[in-house]
Amino acid sequence: MNELDEISDFLGALPPFDTLDDAALARAAGAVEIAYHRGGSEIIASGSDNDWFFVVRSGAVELRDADGDLDLRVAEGEFFGFPAIMRQRPARRSAAALEDTLVYMLPGAVFRSLRQAAAAFDTFFINALSDRLLLGAGTGNTTFRHELATAVGDLVKRAPITIPVTANIRETAEHMVAERVSAMLVTDASGAVTGIVTDRDIRSRVVAAGRDPQGSVSDIMTSNPITLDTDAHAFEAALTMMQHHIHHVPVTRDGAPIGMVSRSDFMRLETEHPLYLVADLGRQSSADGLRRVCERLPEVIAQQIDGGATGQQLGRFITTVTDSVTRQLIRVGEAELGPAPCDYVWVALGSQGRGEQSAKSDQDNALILAEAVDADGDTWFAALAKIVNDGLNDCGYVYCPGEVMASNPKWRQPLARWQDYFHTWITVPEQKALMHANIFFDLRAVAGNAQLVESLKSGIATSARGNELFLALMAKNAMTWQPPLGLFRQFVVERGGEHNHELDLKHRGIMPIVEIARIRSLAAGVVRIGTRNRLRAAGEAGELTKADADNLIDALDFIEQLRIDNQSAQMRRGDAPDNYVDPATLSRLHRQNLKAAFSQVRTSQQALLHRFHIA
């Protein structure tokens, strides 16, 4: 894979670049410039004009405003740069690498032309709160996460601290110290807000200017400050502070002050943001620290579902968390064990490999080594695998029941052995080989030398496409799980056991679509990550009609949405999430749509059998 293809693939997996057509994505990738910055080095100088849109390829970046105050932090796959918000003005903020960082730089002119040409791409940035990716953006119907859509009055935690306009500067400063506040409202005789004084005003307008502290507070206050009504949305306060470069906004009800919100209130909200959780994982240096952070994950997942996140968006987020936990555990292991005996790559398999994990996911992973190692080398990698697999289990990603994990020596092998594995699975297919193929065709590099994965993938597509017997047996194997529909499209529920009278959404709805997508994309000679990407690729190659690909994506979207809504309700009740739903609890419309989705899956399964001439 050349550099341009790598840039295109990386951007194409990120919202909203994934909404661009091939020509627009190629234009964006072709315009990208790449820059590497050492940890602690400056990326954008404070106050400088900057007309670039930045995408963090790896590492982390800290952004500060014109006053040097922390604005936000961004990590891999996130954006920064003023063109993300406005079409015209360049940025006037500083950016520095928190660690060794690689960034893709898209010229502002190209970025703006993409916004003008692509409606979904433009909508994403119209709805963006700041230069950061929001979770709800994957499908083009971006919404603010629910905390930022609440009333600004809900953020007020303290009654307003005020001082009359007749007070002097010293009295104001003493009152601020006594109340431990960084800003104070100045009111007139009627109690209405007439000004605001901040500790910055005291420093710059009094101390630095040598002003007499006995002077009137009205001489240093900001008169007629911007205020927001208590019913305004929290994101309006955030935008107001960002656009006007202020740190405090008075909140009023019927014109009377009820309190104040500051940037620190939004820093508090950021600690609840899903991307903050990922950043917090990156700061942990022990397995126990990672476990404690992961304890917050169920609540964050539930919040994002309540905030309107789709199944695809949630799958990406949960997978991002799993990837982050895995990378940190690998760092913990390397710190404990010392340098690796040779290059290697840790790969995710199954739903993690596809970027489609749910609130209930076990772990599937493996190690690809650059070369064969001796007994001491294998001991090192075995120890690393144990640290990571045990750590993942402690963080809630239970051990794979089939032992498809790097701690199993069979799945901890040099590249040459992995190439033999795939060759055997494809050319001499049998039942166990088909089971492995279902998991291992989803492999994706998580940490280490990703080129080892690319080397392995390079021959897979060609070999699979040229072996009709292998694909036919995979297609037959994909019929193991049938949609739960009986005569006259009635639901066929589970009988007996823990899930009596329930539907298995995962195995009877989602997994058949996953398998159809995998087989169809392999038949088209395409190795893609992600079920939706595979269906689109099969549609583009003519292996599926575009209508069939779109219908399967719609079916997947609907079934996944039912699953995550149900899992959210389970977690809210304190129950462990699962993949089952009682159809009696669904609305009539949801039952009709679920039957239509299952029917589409059944039709696509039959078409798959016909495609490979299976009786």
Side-chain angles (χ1 to χ4, degrees):
M1 178 182 293
N2 61 39
E3 188 173 71
L4 188 60
D5 289 338
E6 182 179 349
I7 295 172
S8 181
D9 285 352
F10 182 78
L11 292 179
L14 299 177
F17 286 92
D18 59 359
T19 66
L20 297 176
D21 61 30
D22 290 344
L25 183 60
R27 182 155 55 91
V32 161
E33 295 187 21
I34 302 175
Y36 174 79
H37 299 273
R38 299 284 296 178
S41 65
E42 194 172 58
I43 299 175
I44 302 174
S46 177
S48 64
D49 287 348
N50 171 70
D51 196 29
W52 293 90
F53 176 68
F54 295 84
V55 181
V56 180
R57 180 63 179 85
S58 62
V61 176
E62 184 175 82
L63 305 178
R64 294 186 177 274
D65 64 18
D67 297 312
D69 293 324
L70 178 65
D71 223 349
L72 55 92
R73 295 186 176 95
V74 290
E76 180 177 337
E78 296 182 66
F79 315 141
F80 65 97
F82 209 86
I85 303 302
M86 307 294 286
R87 295 174 186 270
Q88 303 294 333
R89 293 173 52 194
R92 288 188 180 276
R93 63 165 22 147
S94 64
L98 282 173
E99 58 191 56
D100 290 357
T101 298
L102 191 70
V103 293
Y104 289 163
M105 301 167 55
L106 187 65
V110 176
F111 174 80
R112 288 186 287 274
S113 71
L114 291 172
R115 291 189 61 181
Q116 292 166 359
F121 188 83
D122 187 51
T123 299
F124 176 95
F125 292 103
I126 291 173
N127 288 336
L129 167 67
S130 65
D131 319 32
R132 179 185 13 231
L133 177 72
L134 296 181
L135 182 66
T139 59
N141 23 331
T142 305
T143 56
F144 290 105
R145 47 186 283 271
H146 72 283
E147 294 97 338
L148 293 175
T150 57
V152 70
D154 293 340
L155 295 181
V156 175
K157 302 302 181 185
R158 186 177 183 181
I161 307 301
T162 66
I163 198 163
V165 71
T166 55
N168 64 35
I169 296 170
R170 181 184 296 278
E171 290 170 337
T172 303
E174 290 173 345
H175 197 23
M176 291 173 66
V177 171
E179 294 290 345
R180 297 184 178 181
V181 294
S182 59
M184 181 169 289
L185 298 179
V186 182
T187 57
D188 61 19
S190 69
V193 175
T194 188
I196 184 172
V197 174
T198 68
D199 56 5
R200 182 171 297 158
D201 295 330
I202 302 293
R203 293 196 307 268
S204 62
R205 299 177 182 178
V206 181
V207 179
R211 188 185 295 270
D212 183 1
Q214 300 301 321
S216 173
V217 68
S218 62
D219 294 335
I220 65 166
M221 71 181 187
T222 299
S223 300
N224 302 315
I226 296 169
T227 64
L228 287 174
D229 187 78
T230 184
D231 293 327
H233 281 173
F235 72 79
E236 292 180 59
L239 285 172
T240 296
M241 286 186 276
M242 180 185 69
Q243 292 168 347
H244 295 276
H245 306 290
I246 56 179
H247 291 73
H248 304 83
V249 175
V251 179
T252 62
R253 180 182 292 119
D254 298 327
I258 66 165
M260 190 154 19
V261 292
S262 68
R263 286 206 177 186
S264 62
D265 293 311
F266 291 94
M267 292 300 290
R268 175 178 58 80
L269 284 182
E270 292 305 326
T271 66
E272 301 167 1
H273 193 284
L275 297 180
Y276 181 91
L277 186 142
V278 174
D280 202 7
L281 289 169
R283 291 190 286 268
Q284 304 306 311
S285 58
S286 69
D288 191 55
L290 291 166
R291 178 191 58 76
R292 288 195 300 271
V293 175
C294 285
E295 288 175 351
R296 292 162 29 206
L297 182 58
E299 177 62 22
V300 175
I301 290 174
Q303 288 175 357
Q304 297 314 303
I305 295 171
D306 292 346
T310 66
Q312 182 179 12
Q313 294 157 5
L314 199 65
R316 288 180 177 179
F317 164 59
I318 296 173
T319 301
T320 298
V321 172
T322 311
D323 289 352
S324 299
V325 173
T326 303
R327 292 188 187 106
Q328 288 306 109
L329 286 168
I330 289 172
R331 292 188 181 106
V332 169
E334 289 178 337
E336 178 180 327
L337 301 172
C342 68
D343 265 7
Y344 70 93
V345 61
W346 185 282
V347 296
L349 309 167
S351 61
Q352 185 186 356
R354 297 191 304 272
E356 297 170 355
Q357 285 189 293
S358 72
K360 179 181 175 61
S361 293
D362 58 7
Q363 52 176 298
D364 295 298
N365 46 66
L367 273 169
I368 302 175
L369 315 183
E371 58 193 53
V373 294
D374 57 19
D376 289 341
D378 185 62
T379 298
W380 191 97
F381 283 111
L384 177 69
K386 179 173 174 54
I387 289 170
V388 178
N389 290 149
D390 288 352
L392 285 170
N393 184 69
D394 290 342
C395 289
Y397 305 96
V398 299
Y399 298 118
C400 173
E403 295 189 345
V404 180
M405 298 179 293
S407 54
N408 183 339
K410 185 173 184 179
W411 311 127
R412 189 176 67 246
Q413 296 291 335
L415 176 61
R417 177 63 62 85
W418 280 104
Q419 290 169 330
D420 289 342
Y421 280 164
F422 276 92
H423 177 75
T424 301
W425 294 338
I426 293 171
T427 58
V428 192
E430 45 91 27
Q431 189 61 38
K432 185 169 285 189
L434 295 173
M435 180 190 73
H436 289 151
N438 283 337
I439 299 172
F440 285 92
F441 272 111
D442 294 333
L443 83 170
R444 176 178 58 83
V446 173
N449 185 352
Q451 187 55 47
L452 295 172
V453 171
E454 297 306 318
S455 298
L456 182 59
K457 283 183 175 180
S458 61
I460 291 176
T462 301
S463 297
R465 185 179 190 180
N467 195 311
E468 288 284 310
L469 174 61
F470 170 71
L471 293 173
L473 290 176
M474 281 192 72
K476 185 174 182 180
N477 192 63
M479 301 302 119
T480 302
W481 293 101
Q482 296 285 324
L485 287 179
L487 291 174
F488 308 109
R489 295 212 321 169
Q490 296 304 304
F491 289 125
V492 178
V493 296
E494 301 291 312
R495 295 296 182 184
E498 180 184 358
H499 299 290
N500 189 35
H501 295 297
E502 294 182 332
L503 298 171
D504 185 344
L505 296 179
K506 176 182 177 181
H507 292 102
R508 294 189 176 276
I510 294 172
M511 291 313 298
I513 300 174
V514 168
E515 292 180 350
I516 291 168
R518 183 187 297 116
I519 296 164
R520 289 290 193 171
S521 65
L522 286 172
V526 178
V527 177
R528 290 277 181 91
I529 294 298
T531 299
R532 293 168 180 82
N533 287 337
R534 288 169 173 171
L535 289 171
R536 294 187 187 102
E540 292 166 1
E543 176 63 29
L544 280 174
T545 66
K546 186 177 183 303
D548 285 343
D550 289 343
N551 288 339
L552 279 172
I553 290 172
D554 289 343
L556 179 61
D557 287 344
F558 183 78
I559 299 171
E560 279 192 341
Q561 192 64 47
L562 277 184
R563 177 171 71 164
I564 66 172
D565 288 344
N566 189 55
Q567 289 179 341
S568 175
Q570 290 172 323
M571 290 186 290
R572 292 294 191 195
R573 295 193 301 265
D575 299 333
D578 60 36
N579 298 297
Y580 294 84
V581 66
D582 182 351
T585 65
L586 302 177
S587 69
R588 181 177 179 180
L589 179 60
H590 277 171
R591 288 196 298 272
Q592 290 175 339
N593 286 339
L594 185 56
K595 288 177 181 179
F598 285 150
S599 181
Q600 178 61 49
V601 174
R602 173 182 286 174
T603 299
S604 296
Q605 283 184 322
Q606 293 304 313
L608 191 66
L609 292 177
H610 179 75
R611 160 70 172 81
F612 292 103
H613 311 290
I614 299 172

